[in-house]
Amino acid sequence: MYWKVSYNIGIIGGGQLGMMMCEEAKKLGLTTIVLDPSSDCPCSTVADELIVGEYNDIAKLDELGQKADLLSYEFENVDGKALEMLHGKYHIPQGIMPLLDSQDRLREKDNANRHGLPTVGYRKIDSLSDLNKAIAELHYPLIYKTRRDGYDGHGQVVLKSDEDIKKVLPYLENHVLGIVEEKLAFDYECSLIMIRSKDQIIHFPVGRNIHKDGILDISAVPLDVSKDTLDEMIKKSEDFMISADYYGILTIEYFVKDDKFYFNEMAPRPHNSGHYTIEGCNTNQFRELDKFLIGKKMDEPQLLAPTLMKNILGRDMKNLAKLEAIPSSHLHMYHKSEERPLRKLGHITYTNLTLDEYLSYKEKLNIED
């Protein structure tokens, strides 16, 4: 069902998440306008209009706000002060609190605990004294993380012994705020994507995430977990959104250990682990987000078949032909001009394929890591 409406969605960020928001918006009869520093960003291939400018450029943000009927964002590192300037001046259906809460790992963890989501032990780290105290209380192994801006493994240090403390010193010497967390020997990681409107809250099937070098490599659905654990995870996640008074899209990543789950982090935007929904479900995260933004009733997501999503990084390009040879493959490229080994250039979704079947094909086709 498509609607003949005149909504112009303004998106801060022109990466692949924004690109797929734009693609689904076109199918719904909507137009999009995007702000990004790069004139050849992924969104440039599909957005109706592109404003080239920095994310903290107030004049460019104002231009976006004046041209759009409503604003959204496709990544969580939007400048907080700039976002506060936009809030109240322009219509941001999702609000800004989910984004501000997700930008600081300490604030994020405190917020999760306050609203009923379990976490591993953690401590605030502002100094070497804080770090030594945290080590004494929580014990090795631990993970040091910067409170802001880290992603895909950046800004993180695994602490296994006192010898590793020196790896944290450059952060402390530069007055970078951080946290230390217990390093849980989890069975696996999973992510739950939800969208909440005033009248609805929907969730997509929970997927298992497999990382390589700190970057998501594979997401596979459905998740092999007990029904009781899955039901509790969904219930507590929905209760968290309601208690925190969040609207719009929210992805929560969990660690699972012995059928118990622990909050890791959240993202108030479409998520890499949800790309499988484009072919694997009756609807997808980008389409339902767009519908939320314009106030339309959302569809209840249903998994159509076992589905697997494989990220395509620069280092995977040498294997692309073999990866496409696996049955039921659906290739999505992001139109990025520069290839780097750890840069996300696209993804492949495999429908009606399990993780074990994918690994079997990978071995048969001699696909090297």
Side-chain angles (χ1 to χ4, degrees):
M1 178 180 180
Y2 300 164
W3 297 282
K4 299 289 185 180
V5 293
S6 59
Y7 283 102
N8 190 2
I9 298 176
I11 303 172
I12 303 172
Q16 61 264 23
L17 300 177
M19 181 189 79
M20 287 179 270
M21 285 177 66
C22 292
E23 289 172 344
E24 291 300 318
K26 283 187 180 298
K27 297 175 185 178
L28 295 171
L30 309 171
T31 56
T32 53
I33 179 170
V34 172
L35 171 67
D36 193 87
S38 175
S39 61
D40 63 351
C41 62
C43 275
S44 68
T45 64
V46 67
D48 294 283
E49 183 177 350
L50 176 67
I51 298 173
V52 178
E54 298 297 329
Y55 300 127
N56 60 355
D57 186 325
I58 301 302
K60 295 294 185 180
L61 288 166
D62 264 327
E63 182 182 351
L64 178 68
Q66 290 164 9
K67 290 183 174 181
D69 296 303
L70 55 91
L71 296 180
S72 186
Y73 37 82
E74 63 112 37
F75 72 115
E76 60 265 50
N77 289 327
V78 181
D79 182 83
K81 291 182 179 179
L83 200 69
E84 289 173 352
M85 181 278 296
L86 297 174
H87 185 55
K89 189 174 184 180
Y90 304 109
H91 182 36
I92 307 175
Q94 190 163 358
I96 65 172
M97 287 310 298
L99 187 144
L100 294 178
D101 288 342
S102 72
Q103 288 182 335
D104 184 315
R105 285 191 169 96
L106 177 64
R107 176 170 170 171
E108 185 180 55
K109 285 285 196 301
D110 287 346
N111 189 55
N113 277 322
R114 185 164 54 250
H115 295 291
L117 293 181
T119 69
V120 298
Y122 64 94
R123 297 290 188 272
K124 178 176 73 168
I125 305 298
D126 293 343
S127 65
L128 181 58
S129 174
D130 288 342
L131 180 59
N132 288 328
K133 183 179 179 182
I135 292 170
E137 292 175 350
L138 298 177
H139 311 295
Y140 295 121
L142 301 167
I143 301 179
Y144 170 87
K145 298 179 180 179
T146 58
R147 282 173 56 176
R148 291 182 176 271
D149 299 331
Y151 66 96
D152 287 344
H154 297 290
Q156 299 185 18
V157 176
V158 176
L159 301 171
K160 297 179 181 179
S161 69
D162 289 350
E163 180 68 18
D164 294 320
I165 293 176
K166 63 185 180 184
K167 300 175 186 177
V168 181
L169 294 180
Y171 294 105
L172 300 178
E173 290 166 358
N174 286 287
H175 308 291
V176 175
L177 303 181
I179 65 169
V180 156
E181 303 175 3
E182 292 177 318
K183 192 175 188 303
L184 180 69
F186 55 88
D187 297 326
Y188 55 85
E189 181 192 286
C190 64
S191 55
L192 174 57
I193 300 171
M194 302 171 288
I195 307 178
R196 182 187 176 212
S197 69
K198 291 182 179 179
D199 304 313
Q200 286 180 279
I201 183 166
I202 64 172
H203 70 270
F204 290 87
V206 182
R208 177 178 177 177
N209 300 331
I210 299 173
H211 290 75
K212 186 164 64 177
D213 298 328
I215 303 172
L216 181 65
D217 184 39
I218 289 170
S219 290
V221 287
L223 182 66
D224 184 15
V225 68
S226 72
K227 184 178 184 303
D228 287 346
T229 299
L230 185 60
D231 288 347
E232 183 183 6
M233 184 186 297
I234 293 168
K235 177 67 165 57
K236 284 197 171 184
S237 299
E238 292 181 347
D239 288 347
F240 169 77
M241 276 199 89
I242 294 168
S243 178
D245 199 28
Y246 289 166
Y247 290 93
I249 192 166
L250 185 74
T251 303
I252 301 179
E253 294 182 359
Y254 289 108
F255 295 134
V256 180
K257 175 69 174 177
D258 298 329
D259 276 347
K260 294 183 180 180
F261 55 91
Y262 303 85
F263 174 95
N264 178 32
E265 61 186 23
M266 69 180 199
R269 53 163 173 79
H271 200 261
N272 192 176
S273 66
H275 293 348
Y276 80 89
T277 61
I278 297 174
E279 285 88 20
C281 295
N282 61 319
T283 188
N284 64 71
Q285 61 172 339
F286 305 100
R287 179 184 178 89
E288 297 310 314
L289 172 58
D290 287 341
K291 286 161 65 177
F292 158 77
L293 291 171
I294 64 172
K296 293 295 183 179
K297 187 177 186 299
M298 297 179 290
D299 289 329
E300 290 289 342
Q302 300 293 330
L303 185 65
L304 301 177
T307 304
L308 182 141
M309 187 282 300
K310 157 71 179 168
N311 265 333
I312 304 298
L313 276 59
R315 66 186 177 194
D316 296 311
M317 291 300 291
K318 65 182 182 297
N319 295 318
L320 187 57
K322 291 181 179 180
L323 289 166
E324 281 194 273
I326 298 174
S328 301
S329 66
H330 306 267
L331 177 64
H332 298 257
M333 296 303 292
Y334 303 152
H335 312 291
K336 294 182 178 179
S337 57
E338 183 184 354
E339 288 188 14
R340 297 194 298 272
L342 301 183
R343 192 182 195 194
K344 294 172 185 173
L345 302 179
H347 72 268
I348 294 182
T349 300
Y350 303 100
T351 52
N352 204 22
L353 188 77
T354 67
L355 177 58
D356 286 343
E357 289 169 337
Y358 167 79
L359 294 175
S360 178
Y361 275 115
K362 185 178 175 183
E363 184 177 357
K364 288 178 184 177
L365 295 171
N366 194 30
I367 299 173
E368 300 176 359
D369 288 330

